[in-house]
């Protein structure tokens, strides 16, 4: 029996509703594959921020540093600015634990219709640089409240940071369709994007079997809608990857079922896995939340921990329930959260 210690951060809203199904499926699939999970839950959330003035305690990172992985539900709540929840919890975890790859698989699933005609062949991944780039703390504001007020925000691109995420993307493509598309804007952003292009070209030369393309971000956004089936692995900076991954999830039918992994590929620190859908306060507490994003994220965690067969079994059960027409109201079905979860558990014999 292989054992793992998982840090649970349910967070806010439906985050607290989608993690229990993920735990149930992990435990059920784990029993079939000789894997056991121990969970430690942490109340780090906007609710905690409103009560105590911080998303997590001062020693929060030390509390989860030695866990094998982190499973996050969702954070965000009305009355708490989004930058508070992001910079007070998610970004410190990503940066302190060098989770420099944000991995977002995109697939059109039976039971989740895409808004695009004939989009059934869509199956690609977005690899987003996750710890530097445009999301930096360097900058400031001058002359607040005056007619001459200005704001400066600096992007940070390092040789190490760009190279390692692009290397990850090319290595991933070698296991998939042998094709990498790099998102750039070097015709308009005259320093960071040409630097990005140069480093992508260096990495590409080390992977001659992989076909490499580069696309300006605006044209790439259009092609994601017009021909999403033509992509295999897309790699982009923090901002470009953030935008493209949400666009891609919409192309696949719903951001509400999309998963994400924040990876430290070297496994020196725990990686964090999370659904993309956010806390959805409008449906929180109503049993309507579809837990697929959390289940898919849990499957990505299994794969990262070295259990691809268990991961595949969990995904087959989750996707199979959707294909059989069992889904929640947001996807046109009549099941509630528990009903969909039960249907998935039945498929793994639990």
């Amino acid at each position: 029996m292989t054992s793992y210690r998982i840090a649970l951060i349910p967070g806010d809203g439906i985050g607290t509703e989608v993690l229990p199904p993920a735990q149930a499926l992990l435990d059920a699939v784990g029993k079939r594959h000789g894997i056991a999970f121990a969970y430690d839950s942490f109340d780090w959330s906007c609710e905690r921020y409103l009560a105590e003035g911080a998303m997590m305690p001062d020693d929060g990172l030390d509390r989860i540093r030695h866990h094998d992985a982190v499973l996050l539900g969702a954070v965000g709540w009305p009355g708490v600015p989004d930058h508070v929840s992001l910079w007070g919890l998610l970004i410190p975890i990503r940066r302190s634990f060098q989770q420099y790859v944000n991995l977002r698989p995109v697939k059109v699933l039976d039971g989740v219709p895409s808004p695009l005609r004939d989009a059934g062949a869509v199956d690609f991944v977005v690899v987003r640089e996750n710890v530097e780039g445009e999301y930096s703390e360097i900058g400031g504001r001058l002359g607040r409240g005056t007619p001459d007020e200005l704001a400066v925000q600096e992007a940070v691109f390092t040789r190490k940071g760009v190279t390692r995420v692009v290397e990850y993307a090319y290595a991933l493509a070698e296991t998939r369709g042998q094709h990498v598309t790099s998102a750039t804007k070097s015709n308009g952003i005259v320093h960071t994007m040409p630097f990005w292009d140069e480093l992508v070209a260096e990495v590409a030369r080390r992977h001659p079997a992989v076909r490499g393309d580069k696309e300006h971000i605006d044209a790439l956004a259009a092609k994601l809608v017009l021909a999403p089936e033509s992509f295999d692995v897309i790699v982009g900076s923090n901002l470009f990857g953030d935008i493209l991954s949400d666009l891609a999830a919409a192309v696949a039918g719903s951001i509400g079922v999309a998963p994400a992994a924040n990876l430290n590929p070297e496994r020196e620190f725990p990686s964090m896995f999370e659904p993309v859908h956010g806390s959805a306060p409008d449906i929180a507490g109503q049993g309507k939340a579809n837990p697929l994003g959390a289940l898919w994220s849990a499957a990505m965690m299994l794969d990262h921990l070295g259990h691809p067969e268990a991961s595949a079994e969990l995904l087959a059960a989750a996707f199979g329930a959707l294909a059989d027409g069992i889904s929640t109201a947001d996807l046109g079905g009549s099941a509630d959260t528990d009903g969909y979860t039960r249907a998935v558990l039945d498929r793994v014999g639990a």
Side-chain angles (χ1 to χ4, degrees):
M1 183 70 73
T2 303
S3 299
Y4 296 102
R5 187 178 174 204
I6 308 300
L8 298 178
I9 306 176
D12 302 293
I14 65 169
T16 64
E17 302 172 43
V18 298
L19 280 201
Q23 289 177 255
L25 264 296
L26 283 170
D27 291 339
V29 171
K31 287 180 182 178
R32 295 168 56 85
H33 292 267
I35 308 167
F37 296 97
Y39 304 99
D40 297 314
S41 187
F42 300 87
D43 69 344
W44 304 345
S45 61
C46 290
E47 183 178 1
R48 186 187 190 281
Y49 174 82
L50 291 171
E52 302 187 28
M55 294 290 295
M56 64 177 172
D58 292 341
D59 65 345
L61 295 174
D62 289 334
R63 294 189 189 186
I64 62 174
R65 184 178 303 276
H66 299 294
H67 284 74
D68 294 296
V70 180
L71 196 56
L72 173 74
V75 292
W77 201 251
V80 178
D82 287 343
H83 70 271
V84 169
S85 56
L86 184 64
W87 286 90
L89 181 64
L90 301 184
I91 286 181
I93 292 175
R94 292 169 181 170
R95 294 187 173 179
S96 295
F97 296 154
Q98 285 300 297
Q99 296 169 352
Y100 61 84
V101 170
N102 182 265
L103 187 65
R104 295 276 295 270
V106 179
K107 184 180 297 188
V108 172
L109 304 173
D110 289 340
V112 186
S114 169
L116 304 183
R117 184 175 65 247
D118 301 326
V122 173
D123 184 359
F124 62 90
V125 293
V126 177
V127 176
R128 166 192 173 190
E129 199 291 315
N130 207 34
V131 297
E132 55 176 50
E134 301 89 348
Y135 294 178
S136 84
E137 296 178 89
I138 301 174
R141 291 170 66 175
L142 181 66
R144 291 175 183 262
T146 72
D148 296 320
E149 183 174 4
L150 64 87
V152 176
Q153 180 76 47
E154 299 287 351
V156 176
F157 286 70
T158 67
R159 173 173 287 274
K160 175 182 177 180
V162 174
T163 299
R164 64 186 181 182
V165 75
V166 176
E167 281 282 4
Y168 182 93
Y170 269 80
L172 180 60
E174 288 175 337
T175 70
R176 291 177 46 92
Q178 306 282 331
H179 180 202
V180 171
T181 303
S182 169
T184 185
K185 191 58 180 171
S186 49
N187 61 340
I189 302 175
V190 298
H191 297 302
T192 56
M193 283 292 104
F195 182 54
W196 170 278
D197 291 348
E198 292 165 14
L199 297 178
V200 170
E202 289 181 11
V203 173
R205 287 193 288 271
R206 295 194 284 270
H207 299 267
V210 177
R211 177 165 60 94
D213 297 329
K214 68 176 182 179
E215 294 277 1
H216 291 145
I217 183 68
D218 44 350
L220 179 53
K223 289 182 179 180
L224 271 181
V225 175
L226 295 172
E229 72 284 352
S230 66
F231 296 99
D232 177 33
V233 176
I234 299 173
V235 63
S237 67
N238 210 332
L239 177 61
F240 289 175
D242 194 2
I243 295 169
L244 289 173
S245 55
D246 276 13
L247 173 60
V251 165
S254 175
I255 197 171
V257 299
N262 302 276
L263 300 177
N264 173 246
E266 296 79 13
R267 302 187 187 182
E268 297 171 344
F269 303 99
S271 294
M272 180 169 63
F273 303 84
E274 56 177 318
V276 178
H277 50 55
S279 60
D282 57 322
I283 62 168
Q286 300 177 36
K288 296 180 179 180
N290 192 308
L292 177 57
L295 301 187
W296 199 341
S297 299
M300 295 177 75
M301 183 182 78
L302 279 170
D303 190 57
H304 177 72
L305 292 173
H307 303 283
E309 292 181 358
S311 173
E313 183 175 331
L314 195 162
L315 280 184
F319 295 165
L322 281 178
D324 288 345
I326 303 170
S327 60
T328 50
D330 56 338
L331 298 179
S334 58
D336 59 9
T337 305
D338 290 341
Y340 173 76
T341 302
R342 183 69 259 168
V344 180
L345 285 168
D346 288 343
R347 282 163 174 74
V348 297

